[in-house]
């Protein structure tokens, strides 16, 4: 049980770090931040047990922050600023 609690605490810390990065870089779009966090939460819950991949489609007019959100999410997942240059 202790191992499970440590694992849960680690997931919460990781998601909190992702939230901070997203909130700092994705301005005025809390629904996008929540959708990306939900995506990563589902990944933590189901991991290799999912049968289909999860995806979020970011749609909108030019200049609405789609690229910024994708770049911030990629950087947050990899824990490195500029990770999107390698992973996108």
């Amino acid at each position: 049980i202790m191992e499970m609690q440590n694992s849960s605490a680690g997931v919460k810390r990781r998601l909190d770090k992702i939230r901070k990065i997203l909130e700092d870089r994705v301005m005025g779009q809390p629904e996008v931040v929540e959708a990306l966090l939900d995506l990563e939460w589902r990944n933590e819950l189901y991991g290799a047990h999912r049968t289909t991949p999860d995806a979020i489609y970011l749609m909108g007019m030019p200049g609405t922050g789609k690229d910024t959100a994708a770049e911030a999410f990629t950087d947050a997942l990899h824990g490195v600023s500029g990770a999107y240059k390698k992973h996108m």
Side-chain angles (χ1 to χ4, degrees), residues 8-85:
S8 295
V11 169
K12 179 167 179 7
R13 277 193 304 273
R14 184 169 179 272
L15 290 173
D16 286 344
K17 287 180 185 178
I18 292 172
R19 176 184 297 278
K20 170 105 173 71
I21 292 169
L22 291 174
E23 287 176 345
D24 287 348
R25 292 180 50 188
V26 179
M27 303 296 174
Q29 298 186 53
E31 65 281 353
V32 172
V33 171
E34 290 304 317
L36 292 170
L37 286 169
D38 287 346
L39 181 70
E40 188 56 21
W41 175 244
R42 285 192 306 268
N43 183 54
E44 291 290 342
L45 286 176
Y46 302 115
H49 303 291
R50 0 178 236 222
T51 55
T52 58
D54 290 329
I56 292 179
Y57 295 95
L58 301 173
M59 297 183 278
M61 298 296 290
T64 57
K66 299 176 299 292
D67 288 342
T68 300
E71 290 169 2
F73 188 53
T74 304
D75 287 354
L77 290 179
H78 293 281
V80 177
S81 183
Y84 71 91
K85 294 175 185 174

